[in-house]
Amino acid sequence: MSRIVPLEVEEAEPEARAELERQLEAHGRVTNMKRTLAHSPTALHALMTWYPLRDRVAAFLGERATTLFAQAISSGADCLICSTFFRRVLVESGEDPDSPVLDERQQAVVDYGVQLVRDSNAVSDALYGRLEAFLTPPQLVDLTAFGALMIATNVVNNALLVDLDGYLEPYRRDGAAVRP
């Protein structure tokens, strides 16, 4: 059970309500995480910058590699909500999220995501070199900042025990922890 009760859209302060309404318009739903973040309009705004950064990354990596990167981070952080969300995206695109087939570039991106969440101080020169072979400095900055926001999203969900949204239940990984 969530440590903080998610707000209904109408309960949020005007600034947070406006953002929740934008999310509803853009995505057709407002998730438990966003409704939890709505307790702080500033926190909600900060983490909603995930969307434009994700779009920048998808423009140069492609949708699939961007999703695989976010999935690698979310799985590494053991974030039930985010890892299940990205499992859904992969399943709905016809992928097996447990056995993705990766080319060299996608593998480098996934490895980078895994390393960012495991220990960002230990990104090896070899791994960085694999990325640098096909990404420009601005792209590396965008990818790294996107990874950092993905980690931040995972931290919020995990620390506050945000409940998994019902629409994600069918995509939950077998054996995924059920929260108390």
Side-chain angles (χ1 to χ4, degrees):
M1 174 174 254
S2 185
R3 289 183 165 148
I4 296 176
V5 176
L7 293 175
E8 295 301 326
V9 173
E10 341 31 86
E11 297 173 322
E13 293 179 29
E15 184 182 348
R17 185 178 321 122
E19 180 60 35
L20 293 177
E21 288 170 349
R22 274 192 294 280
Q23 292 298 317
L24 183 60
E25 177 72 23
H27 306 288
R29 68 175 59 93
V30 180
T31 64
N32 289 336
M33 182 194 78
K34 292 170 189 168
R35 293 185 310 117
T36 299
L37 285 167
H39 284 277
S40 168
T42 303
L44 177 63
H45 173 74
L47 289 185
M48 291 307 96
T49 62
W50 183 94
Y51 287 97
L53 199 48
R54 182 228 160 280
D55 292 345
R56 286 179 59 87
V57 169
F60 61 81
L61 277 188
E63 292 293 330
R64 182 174 187 263
T66 302
T67 298
L68 290 165
F69 177 71
Q71 172 66 13
I73 289 171
S74 300
S75 292
D78 199 23
C79 179
L80 177 63
I81 291 174
C82 294
S83 64
T84 305
F85 176 85
F86 291 110
R87 281 181 63 78
R88 177 187 68 90
V89 173
L90 291 168
V91 167
E92 288 182 352
S93 68
E95 298 253 2
D96 176 356
D98 298 319
S99 301
V101 176
L102 307 176
D103 64 24
E104 189 175 310
R105 291 172 55 153
Q106 293 162 343
Q107 188 64 61
V109 167
V110 166
D111 291 347
Y112 190 55
V114 168
Q115 189 58 50
L116 287 179
V117 75
R118 181 180 298 144
D119 182 358
S120 61
N121 286 308
V123 173
S124 69
D125 289 341
L127 175 55
Y128 189 80
R130 289 167 51 207
L131 294 166
E132 198 173 38
F134 67 91
L135 296 174
T136 66
Q139 290 171 335
L140 284 161
V141 169
D142 281 342
L143 180 63
T144 304
F146 174 61
L149 278 178
M150 194 69 249
I151 292 167
T153 300
N154 292 182
V155 168
V156 167
N157 286 324
N158 289 345
L160 300 180
L161 298 176
V162 176
D163 292 329
L164 184 67
D165 296 275
Y167 81 97
L168 293 174
E169 280 294 337
Y171 302 96
R172 188 182 195 137
R173 186 175 188 183
D174 291 340
V178 177
R179 293 194 173 140

